């Protein structure tokens, strides 16, 4: 089953961790000096915060697939609908190794479709000018890529 992903840029990670831990009723499942993530089951949500986002507030949204076939089905659906899908392929981002593709909605909101394969020790395998991830450039955001 797919999981919605929300990545929020924060200024003070410690304060944000306290707030979201109280809101969700649990501590983050992953916490680093610049990043924290909650993998919630109710609602089914991958919620991440970091000090590396392009903006404070909602940085990007996504849909996390459980397996490769689910990811491929999402990609096929987007392509059949004529949506401009940019395949990033395998990458290390947000302390995880994932297979990703990106879309941008008509308002300029970046969406990633991805499958996480494993945890990683690095925030990113590439330099992205301190940004959260390698998002496509949009009208409302500047990006590293």
């Amino acid at each position: 089953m797919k999981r919605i992903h929300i990545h929020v840029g924060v200024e003070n990670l410690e304060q944000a961790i306290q707030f979201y831990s109280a809101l969700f009723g649990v501590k983050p499942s992953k916490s680093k000096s610049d990043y924290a993530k909650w993998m919630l089951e109710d609602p089914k949500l991958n919620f991440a915060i970091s000090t590396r986002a392009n903006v404070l507030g909602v940085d990007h949204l996504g849909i996390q697939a459980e397996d490769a076939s689910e990811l491929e089905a999402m990609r096929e659906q987007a392509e059949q609908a004529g949506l401009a899908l940019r395949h990033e392929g395998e990458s290390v981002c947000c302390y995880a190794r994932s297979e990703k593709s990106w879309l941008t909605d008509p308002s300029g909101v970046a969406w990633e479709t991805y499958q996480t394969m494993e945890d990683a020790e690095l925030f990113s395998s590439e330099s992205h000018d301190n940004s959260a991830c390698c998002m496509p450039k949009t009208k409302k955001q500047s990006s590293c890529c």
Side-chain angles (χ1 to χ4, degrees), residues 117-130:
M117 280 81 83
E118 64 185 5
D119 283 342
E121 292 302 314
L122 299 172
F123 184 85
S124 175
S125 61
E126 299 176 25
S127 172
H128 293 309
D129 299 330
N130 205 37

Side-chain angles (χ1 to χ4, degrees), residues 25-111:
V26 295
K27 293 184 180 197
S29 56
K30 183 185 284 189
S31 185
K32 303 288 185 178
S33 63
D34 55 356
Y35 176 85
K37 175 174 74 175
W38 290 258
M39 290 293 282
L40 304 172
E41 291 303 318
D42 185 18
K44 196 148 179 84
L45 175 67
N46 171 341
F47 184 84
I49 59 175
S50 77
T51 57
R52 294 179 176 244
N54 291 316
V55 296
L56 294 179
V58 176
D59 185 69
H60 67 274
L61 304 170
I63 302 174
Q64 182 179 8
E66 247 179 61
D67 56 42
S69 63
E70 202 170 64
L71 179 60
E72 186 57 32
M74 286 192 294
R75 287 174 170 168
E76 287 176 10
Q77 178 181 332
E79 288 172 347
Q80 288 175 1
L83 301 178
L85 189 67
R86 184 180 67 81
H87 295 286
E88 183 176 337
E90 193 174 305
S91 66
V92 173
C93 181
C94 299
Y95 299 100
R97 187 173 64 83
S98 303
E99 173 74 21
K100 297 183 181 203
S101 295
W102 290 92
L103 303 115
T104 304
D105 84 357
S107 298
V109 177
W111 279 83

